[in-house]
Amino acid sequence: MRLVIARCSVDYAGRLTAHLPSAPRLILVKADGSVSIHADDRAYKPLNWMSPPCTLKEGTGDDAGVWTVVNKAGEKLIITMEEILHDSSHELGVDPGLIKDGVEAHLQELLADRIETLGEGYSLIRREYMTAIGPVDILCRDADGQTVAVEIKRRGEIDGVEQLTRYLELLNRDPHLAPVKGVFAAQEIKPQARVLATDRGIGCAVLDYNAMRGIEDDKLRLF
C-alpha cells in the first residue's frame, strides 16, 4: 500500500463530473489497483475513489505532479499535486479477511444449507471460496448454471457492496468461473447500498434469520 499526504485538487470525469478544490488530503493506492482520496473529517468514507481494475499514470515533464487514474470503462480520476508532504509504501501481504460475528457466520451456514432461498434451482459450489483478496462467503450456481458469488452481512451497507464488487472483478478473470454475477445478502439492506448494488448489476436478498432457523414468531395470525 502506498500512502501519500499532499495538497492537491481532484477532478473526476465519467458518467458525471466532480471537482475537489485544493486542500491537504490522504491518497491511498492499494495493491489491488484501487485509488481513494480521503479527508480528515469524513470518517472512513473516501471523498472520491476509483475501484479496480484501473491504471495509475504519474505525469512527467510539463505534466509532472499530475496523476491520471483510468478504469476499464474509461472514466478518469485526475489528481493534481501541488505539494507532497509524505510519500511511503508498505507491504501488508494477504489479509486473512474479516472474522464474522456469530450471527453472520450462522447466516452463512444456514444459507449454504438452504441455498434454494436465493431461487429455485440454485446449487452450492462451496462456502468460503478463497481468492487472492479474501474468501467469498458463498459460491454457487443458479438454475441456468451461471456462477454466483454471495456476500453476507447482518446489515448491508455500501462497504459490503464495494467488497463484493472487488470479488466479482477478480472472479470474472477466471475463465472456469466467468461470467460471475453477485448477490448481496443481509438481514437489512440500507437504501444507499441497494441503489449502488442495482447500479452495478448486483442482486439483493433480504434474509429472515428466524425463518431460516425454522423458528416461528409468537405473533397471532389469522388464516
Side-chain angles (χ1 to χ4, degrees):
M1 178 183 290
R2 183 177 178 187
L3 308 176
V4 178
I5 299 174
R7 177 173 291 277
C8 63
S9 60
V10 183
D11 292 278
Y12 170 81
R15 287 170 290 181
L16 48 80
T17 58
H19 174 72
L20 293 173
S22 176
R25 298 187 175 95
L26 168 66
I27 303 166
L28 299 182
V29 183
K30 295 185 179 181
D32 64 3
S34 63
V35 178
S36 56
I37 296 97
H38 299 259
D40 206 16
D41 61 348
R42 297 292 192 278
Y44 65 92
K45 293 184 178 179
L47 297 168
N48 214 327
W49 69 93
M50 194 70 82
S51 299
C54 56
T55 58
L56 167 61
K57 180 180 179 182
E58 298 185 41
T60 58
D62 293 339
D63 291 328
V66 177
W67 291 14
T68 303
V69 187
V70 184
N71 67 10
K72 62 182 180 181
E75 298 167 319
K76 293 183 179 180
L77 194 64
I78 301 170
I79 307 169
T80 303
M81 306 288 189
E82 298 170 15
E83 180 184 8
I84 294 179
L85 306 172
H86 174 85
D87 188 349
S88 63
S89 296
H90 308 271
E91 182 59 53
L92 303 185
V94 178
D95 191 88
L98 180 67
I99 299 175
K100 297 180 180 294
D101 67 23
V103 173
E104 281 191 16
H106 200 197
L107 277 172
Q108 183 192 111
E109 181 181 349
L110 288 170
L111 187 57
D113 188 53
R114 300 164 176 77
I115 198 66
E116 67 279 357
T117 301
L118 297 177
E120 186 176 352
Y122 271 68
S123 59
L124 178 68
I125 297 175
R126 67 167 297 167
R127 291 171 53 196
E128 298 287 335
Y129 184 88
M130 186 56 64
T131 74
I133 58 173
V136 177
D137 286 335
I138 290 179
L139 199 67
C140 57
R141 288 192 177 90
D142 65 13
D144 298 321
Q146 184 175 353
T147 309
V148 182
V150 184
E151 179 63 26
I152 300 171
K153 301 290 185 187
R154 286 184 64 185
R155 179 179 297 172
E157 302 192 63
I158 284 177
D159 56 348
V161 179
E162 294 286 2
Q163 183 180 358
L164 179 54
T165 299
R166 293 192 292 272
Y167 286 141
L168 289 172
E169 288 171 344
L170 188 63
L171 291 169
N172 273 300
R173 299 177 197 174
D174 186 339
H176 299 292
L177 298 175
V180 183
K181 64 181 181 181
V183 172
F184 188 49
Q187 290 179 278
E188 172 193 1
I189 299 178
K190 295 294 186 179
Q192 300 92 330
R194 187 179 291 275
V195 169
L196 181 61
T198 301
D199 181 67
R200 295 184 176 181
I202 294 171
C204 292
V206 176
L207 303 177
D208 187 327
Y209 183 61
N210 287 336
M212 292 174 68
R213 294 172 64 198
I215 298 175
E216 292 289 340
D217 63 39
D218 57 2
K219 295 178 182 177
L220 294 176
R221 295 185 177 91
L222 294 177
F223 294 95

